[in-house]
Amino acid sequence: MTLKLEGKTAIVTGGSGGLGSSFSLALAAAGANVGVAFIGNPAPAKALVAQIQALGVKSIALEADITDPAAVKAMFNQADTELGIVDILVNNAGIDGVRARAWEVDAAKWRKTLEVNLFGAFHCAQEALLRMVVRRSGVVINITSVHEVIPWGGYSAYTASKAGLGMLTKTLAQEAAEFGVRVLALAPGAIQTPINQSVWSDPNGLADLNKKIPMGRMGQPDEIAKILVNLASDDSSYLTGTTVFVDGGMTLYSDFSHGG
Ligand code: BGC
C-alpha cells in the first residue's frame, strides 16, 4: 500500500511543540520526510527526530528564528540538501503572547507576537513558495485559530496575527493557484496542549472553557493532525484559499444553542 504522503518532504515550524509534535509524527506516519524546525532547546526536537526516523522516513532538526528572514533562508537551504525540497510547509510556530488589555500591553511584546505568528509564517511561506511554484507542486498550511474570527479579550496581538494569517492564506492561495500550489489555513479550537495548560489544569477554567464548545470538551492534538495530513495530501487536491475550522463547534456561538 502506498502511503498518502510517500516521498514528500515536509517542514513543520514549532515542529516539536504541543500541536507541532503531533503534526510531525502524523506526516511521517503518512510517509513524508519531516524537517522539525525549532528555536531554543534542541532536546525535544532531537528526540522527536529519532522517533520519526524509527518510522523509516528521513528527519532532521532545523534550528531557526523564523522572525529573521536570513535564518529562514538558511533553514530552507539546509533542508534542500539534507532532507529534500519542501513539498509541504506547515506554519505552526506560534505564541499566545502576554494577556493584557490593548491600552496596557507593552508594545514590544505586542509586536513580538505579530513577528512570530505572522511575519514568521510569511518568511517561511516565501521560501517554500519560491521552491513550489517552479516545481508546480506543493502545499502551504498555515495554522491559525478560532481566534482568526473570534475576538479574545487580552489577546489583541494574537487575534490580529491570526486574522492576518487567514487573509494572507487567501491572498497567497490566489497568487499560487495558477502554479498548481495550494495554500490553506487550518484553525484549531481549544486543543489540550501546554499553550493553554494554565486554563485546563484549573477545574474552573476547564469548566468555563468547555461551556464555550458545543461538543463540551477540548480537542486532542491527533484530532487536528489527522485533518492536517488530509489537507496536505491529494485527497484535498481541489481545496485552496480557505480556512478549515476544527474546533468542536467553538465558532458556532454556543450561547445561541437554545433560546435567543
Ligand atoms: C489558543 C489557545 C486557546 C484556544 C481557544 C488557541 O488559538 O492558542 O490558548 O485555548 O485558541 O481559545
Side-chain angles (χ1 to χ4, degrees), residues 91 117-118 121 142-144 160-170:
N91 267 324
N117 296 4
L118 186 56
N142 296 318
I143 306 303
T144 60
S161 73
K162 294 301 185 175
L165 190 53
M167 186 50 90
L168 179 66
T169 299
K170 289 186 185 16

Side-chain angles (χ1 to χ4, degrees), residues 35-198:
V36 177
F38 73 97
I39 190 166
N41 178 11
K46 288 197 170 148
L48 185 65
V49 161
Q51 220 184 323
I52 291 173
Q53 286 169 342
L55 296 173
V57 293
K58 281 201 273 183
S59 185
I60 55 172
L62 294 162
E63 182 167 14
D65 175 357
I66 58 167
T67 68
D68 172 5
V72 170
K73 192 174 272 304
M75 170 174 84
F76 275 79
N77 287 341
Q78 187 189 346
D80 286 348
T81 50
E82 292 177 25
L83 193 67
I85 298 177
V86 64
D87 299 291
I88 300 160
L89 166 66
V90 183
N91 267 324
N92 165 70
I95 53 173
D96 275 2
V98 290
R99 175 167 213 149
R101 288 193 177 114
W103 56 93
E104 289 158 347
V105 77
D106 173 54
K109 290 191 175 139
W110 203 94
R111 179 184 294 270
K112 176 78 183 173
T113 303
L114 267 289
E115 276 177 357
V116 175
N117 296 4
L118 186 56
F119 283 71
F122 170 69
H123 297 143
C124 293
Q126 207 175 26
E127 286 300 320
L129 289 169
L130 270 170
R131 289 159 173 79
M132 291 172 179
V133 297
V134 292
R135 303 172 82 214
R136 299 197 163 255
S137 155
V139 191
V140 174
I141 302 177
N142 296 318
I143 306 303
T144 60
S145 164
V146 286
H147 299 298
E148 196 190 302
V149 294
I150 302 178
W152 191 15
Y155 292 98
S156 59
Y158 187 75
T159 55
S161 73
K162 294 301 185 175
L165 190 53
M167 186 50 90
L168 179 66
T169 299
K170 289 186 185 16
T171 306
L172 297 183
Q174 203 184 51
E175 291 178 358
E178 66 183 288
F179 300 96
V181 175
R182 298 185 296 115
V183 185
L184 287 164
L186 170 56
I191 311 305
Q192 199 167 13
T193 68
I195 211 172
N196 45 28
Q197 186 161 3
S198 64

Side-chain angles (χ1 to χ4, degrees), residues 12-27:
V12 183
T13 65
S16 53
L19 278 174
S21 53
S22 288
F23 292 163
S24 298
L25 280 168
L27 291 165

